[in-house]
Amino acid sequence: QPIYRFISAAKKTLDMTMYSLSDLKAEAALVADAKRGVAVRVLFDSDPAGGGRSVNGAAYNELKTNGVSVKWSWPGVLWHQKSIVRDRAAIAVMTCNLYAPDYPALRDYAVITDNPATVSGVEATFNADFGNTSTPPTAGVAPAGSELIWSPGAQSGLVNLIRSARSGTTLYAEDEQLDSPAIEQALVAAAGRGVTVDLTMTYAPAYVAGFKTLATGGVHVSLYHGDTPLYIHAKAISVNDTTVYAGSSNFTTAMTNDDRNAGIITTDPTVVRSITATMASDFAGATPY
């Protein structure tokens, strides 16, 4: 509901990048914005390996028919970003798609902020992406003070965040996908220097090698399975009880180094407390690997 309200509060402009959109309420809010004169632009993932035209085609057609300016992104990578910029003054940075069938089961986070640098960085990157849909993503714009972390190029930033965890503290992480050796090694190194590292995921056979690497290296891995009502789709890290990453990039080499993703690394106390507490609860409710 807060996201619907965020969309509906637009007065002049609304710019959305969305990997998967299948939500009649969100679509209606976008159309209503356009019909009352808001300039609404939406950039969809088009890669056939991801959300793509098969998932987003119905929403694309509905929005285009009703006055929204819509485009397909370059199909050579996953355009996995999930963000909404309103009136060039506020932004929702999300780990979740606007995909209604998944809402009851998925753990996800959305951070709404009016940080001017964050807003301007995402808006500038959106303009570049929307204006050139025939080439790979370029480096995202991250002005000083923006808190932004972009893919391509997020792997080093996430590794540095993990490295900042201090001995005697707990590092919490949640993720859907796992295959980045650099991130796995950083988590193991943190455990080796006295950080309690608690990772929560949903079990999938594709990530067993990573689970084994982490568990052998001293990381506490807890998993949800198919018979549980919670699926971990979030991509988040909390370190030192002071800093949180939340964004669309999973802990994979392709997601961090090739695909388009956006996230923030923030010290905002409200965000840090909320996400950290939720991750701790999720970890406690999962089954140790």
Side-chain angles (χ1 to χ4, degrees):
Q1 199 62 39
I3 300 301
Y4 301 147
R5 289 197 298 267
F6 183 83
I7 294 171
S8 297
K11 293 181 173 61
K12 295 181 179 179
T13 64
L14 193 92
D15 294 325
M16 173 189 289
T17 302
M18 191 54 56
Y19 177 67
S20 296
L21 175 58
S22 181
D23 179 332
L24 295 180
K25 289 184 179 180
E27 292 169 31
L30 293 166
V31 168
D33 280 355
K35 288 188 173 180
R36 58 190 172 79
V38 176
V40 182
R41 299 184 293 175
V42 177
L43 182 63
F44 283 117
D45 174 70
S46 68
D47 191 276
R53 297 176 186 241
S54 61
V55 173
N56 295 318
Y60 179 98
N61 292 333
E62 171 70 12
L63 297 179
K64 185 175 182 179
T65 300
N66 288 282
V68 175
S69 179
V70 289
K71 287 187 178 182
W72 295 111
S73 64
W74 182 66
V77 300
L78 299 184
W79 227 270
H80 197 246
Q81 179 180 345
K82 310 106 168 30
S83 65
I84 310 168
V85 183
R86 186 186 69 201
D87 294 327
R88 302 187 179 95
I91 181 170
V93 179
M94 305 156 63
T95 75
C96 53
N97 297 295
L98 291 179
Y99 194 80
D102 287 343
Y103 295 160
L106 268 59
R107 168 67 71 223
D108 270 308
Y109 303 110
V111 179
I112 296 175
T113 178
D114 59 1
N115 178 314
T118 302
V119 174
S120 67
V122 176
E123 181 71 1
T125 305
F126 178 90
N127 286 333
D129 290 348
F130 199 78
N132 187 358
T133 58
S134 60
T135 60
T138 57
V141 179
S146 70
E147 303 179 328
L148 286 165
I149 179 167
W150 288 100
S151 299
Q155 180 173 272
S156 60
L158 294 179
V159 167
N160 288 337
L161 176 64
I162 294 167
R163 287 175 176 168
S164 74
R166 297 189 298 271
S167 176
T169 65
T170 298
L171 181 156
Y172 292 103
E174 287 187 331
D175 195 45
E176 182 187 24
Q177 301 173 7
L178 181 70
D179 83 353
S180 167
I183 291 176
E184 292 172 21
Q185 292 162 13
L187 292 169
V188 167
R193 65 176 183 270
V195 179
T196 299
V197 181
D198 292 347
L199 171 69
T200 309
M201 294 181 62
T202 292
Y203 175 82
Y207 311 126
V208 167
F211 299 153
K212 290 181 178 178
T213 296
L214 294 173
T216 301
V219 174
H220 304 145
V221 178
S222 278
L223 304 174
Y224 288 89
H225 294 266
D227 57 349
T228 56
L230 183 65
Y231 180 92
I232 303 298
H233 183 260
K235 308 90 170 65
I237 301 170
S238 172
V239 300
N240 304 322
D241 289 323
T242 62
T243 308
V244 155
Y245 158 74
S248 61
S249 182
N250 287 298
F251 304 161
T252 73
T253 301
M255 278 277 177
T256 56
N257 288 344
D258 300 318
D259 299 330
R260 169 62 88 211
N261 282 289
I264 58 171
I265 295 177
T266 182
T267 57
D268 180 276
T270 302
V271 176
V272 171
R273 282 194 302 268
S274 178
I275 292 181
T276 302
T278 303
M279 286 198 285
S281 176
D282 289 347
F283 180 83
T287 301
Y289 175 73

